[in-house]
Amino acid sequence: MSLVRIALAGEGGQGVQAIAEILAEAAYHEGKQTIYIPNFGIEQRGGVSIAFLQVSDQKIGAPKFYKADVIIALSERAVARTAMYSDENTLFVHDSGFDPSPEDLPPVSKQVLGLPAIEIANTKLHTKVFNIIIMGAVIGLTNVVTFESAREALEHKLASKFENDPRLRELNMQALEIGKKMAEESLWEGVEHNA
Amino acid sequence: MEKIIGETKKAFITGNEAVAWAALAAGADSMFGYPITPQNEVMHYWTRISPQYSRSFLQTEDEISAGFTVCGAVQSGKKSFTATAGPGNVLMQEPFGMAEAMRLPLVAIIQQRGGPSSGTVIYSQQEVTLTAYGGNGEGHRIVYSTSTHQEIYDYTIKAFNTAWKYRFPVFVLGDGYQAKMREPLEMYDPEDKGIEMITPYPLIGLGGKIGVDREPAHFCNIYSMEEELYDVVMQFEQDYEAMSRDVIEYREFFCEDADIIILAHGVVSRAAEDAVLILRDMGIKAGFFRPITLRPFPGQQLRDMLSQVKPQKILVAESAMGQFAKLVKNEIYGENIPLETLFKPGMGIIDHDIVEKVRSIF
Amino acid sequence: MLLPAMPKSWYLPTKPHKFCPGCGHGIVLKALGEAVDELNIQDKTIFGFDIGCSLLAWDFFGCDSVQTHHGRTTPVMVGIKRSRPELICVGYMGDGGGYSIGSQHLLNAAVRDENITLVLVNNTNYGMTGGQMAPTTLPGQKTETSPFGRDPETTGYPTKGPEFIAAITSDSAYVARATVSKYKQLKRYTKNALRNQMENKGFSFLEVLSTCPTNWKTNAQQTWNFLEEEMESTFRLGELKTPFGKGVK
């Protein structure tokens, strides 16, 4: 696998750092090279939170990058904040619960894609697994890790929560799967649409 | 020595966590610290892990106090360290100066953030001058500039040995990226790698009956006469020069036939190495030289390489406005090679930046 | 020639000492020396000396000692004591070092109830640097940086260290103010400040009112008058906090 660069951005509390960390751990356990670095500013909670994730079969150089292969922006502010990381090779994904204003969207991208992650979380599952749907979507879009190792990493990360409430396990695994499928389907639709 | 890691193992952690584990494995007895981003997690991990091994921590009232409590702890014969960044590094120059003046084996981890002033809490290489030459002295310090988590781990362990062997304050110079990012590394107990850790020894509180068994141990850092201070500083300089041969570390990469030599340190070396490979693919003979010790600087080694290779140009790349370049220029005075620069104060540098710069000048 | 007896814990090769004629430091250091002798702690006492005239005592005792930076003796003593609790750590400083440049260390060490002893010599000015205004300079007192007399309207009132330390320390802390003009009391308080640490009771703080004829520009009579009348009416003597019971010898 050649280098994949992913930028995940959302409002503080949407859990983008948590899923970037789980994805990085999954890649690490697959024996891949990986670097995850949070953007960290002076705010503890407020503001847009961005996670920079790189996965590769080869040694990775600089911990940051200017242009991402995939950007996932989960709020309107996150769209505006991450547009700068997009170029002609970037797949730019946002939640379809809002329509980003054209001036916020990146001037250049390979494709802009809307995913109904928030809606599915709210209607079919539970708001608190919203970020796991997104994690599944990242896998569906990039194949950056296998579905199995993502499951394992999730299991490892949330072990104590799952122990306390086994229903959470099912909820999370469902979210992961729904996210993956949703992303794959959108990609296919996108291809058809583009064609 | 107490085993901390047990069987050598792979880990996927942040640089700050790597520091805490390495300090434990190196046998550090105590940490004194004050919160400042991006080094906070060094304290967070230390306060969680160290009590299991009866090591101690104190959150002091400020960085000045953190530095001076470390001075006291090492004088009493314990391995002790602190970690700081940015404005905290500025405040700690006072205790670091005392450590220089009294030859105290103080260890400090510096995770550089943007400056001047509060700057950013994120990243820079702008604390090079401060860490290497801060204070009202001659920079009798040892500074390791790391570029990977493995190096953070290795050099944190090494820092304690260098400090206690040569009695100069030792700094592990990282940055916010290295502090916060996660990447794989191997953790180990030093003796499993054949590294013998130096046993610390007290400078005061020496036991015995004073006046019978021994004279009292009196330590000062102020002198009445300029001649006294001169002798002290010149002795330090002599000791510093003598230990430099053993302490200097550097890395060369594709230098042998290079037309252009890229100079970088710390995390920027990662981008520089990648840039060399990309440039070579393009048919540009690029090489890379990286001082691992910024103090003492591998000046002779750099000059030797340059006079052998005779590159057409040198490019210095750093996330500061020339602090590292000053060190380089100081060492290669008299060489007649055009020197180009890529300065991005407080900003990350990636391989692409270096490749573009080289192409624009070559 | 008959010499006055020196405490056993004084270090003879560094005598006679380097303080000005009429300076009170010698008296404070004598009380400390005798207290160390009588408590039999010479071999395990570590002295820390602050910048200012205090530093002239850096090799004064036959005890291990460290001269530090201005105001920083407190954290150095904290670092030593926390690393080697069996040692008796005594910080020796002036009013500038303790109440001004090192006040954040003094306050926080007191709040944390660090098990160290600090002896602070109050002579109402910065002596070593040539007689500038100190936190303890009295209203109206002339110094090099208050040449027309200290004006509380613009520079505030004298710092009352023991009162402030007493307010923020635990019940087992020891806090007192003595003067070089009452030697027996000074020595008793000094011993108490050391005993309190030896018994692991916590923070021990002793301020000692002292003289500085060089910078006060006073003769012997004026020096003593300023100490006993002017200073003592602002800075009240006594034990503000003692786990040993007041007046206990």
Side-chain angles (χ1 to χ4, degrees), chain B residues 222-229, chain C residues 18 56:
Chain B
I222 192 168
Y223 302 93
S224 294
M225 301 196 309
E226 51 199 90
E227 289 81 359
E228 285 178 271
L229 175 68
Chain C
K18 305 158 198 154
L56 297 176

Side-chain angles (χ1 to χ4, degrees), chain B residues 61-62 64 68-69 72-73 75-76 78 94 98 204-206 209-210 214-222, chain C residues 11 43 46 55 58-59 61-67 69 72 75-76 79-80 82-84 104-105 108 112:
Chain B
E61 57 274 16
D62 56 25
I64 299 173
F68 278 106
T69 41
Q75 284 173 317
S76 78
K78 302 289 180 183
E94 196 196 330
M98 186 167 109
I204 51 168
L206 302 175
K209 191 138 190 64
I210 294 174
R214 65 175 178 99
E215 289 292 287
H218 292 142
F219 290 94
C220 73
N221 55 59
I222 192 168
Chain C
Y11 190 53
D43 298 324
I46 308 291
L55 83 83
W58 72 275
D59 56 357
F61 289 101
C63 299
D64 294 347
S65 64
V66 182
Q67 171 254 321
H69 285 195
R72 316 306 178 207
V76 172
I80 296 170
R82 282 182 175 251
S83 302
R84 301 270 303 275
Q104 76 274 39
H105 307 312
N108 285 284
R112 289 194 302 260

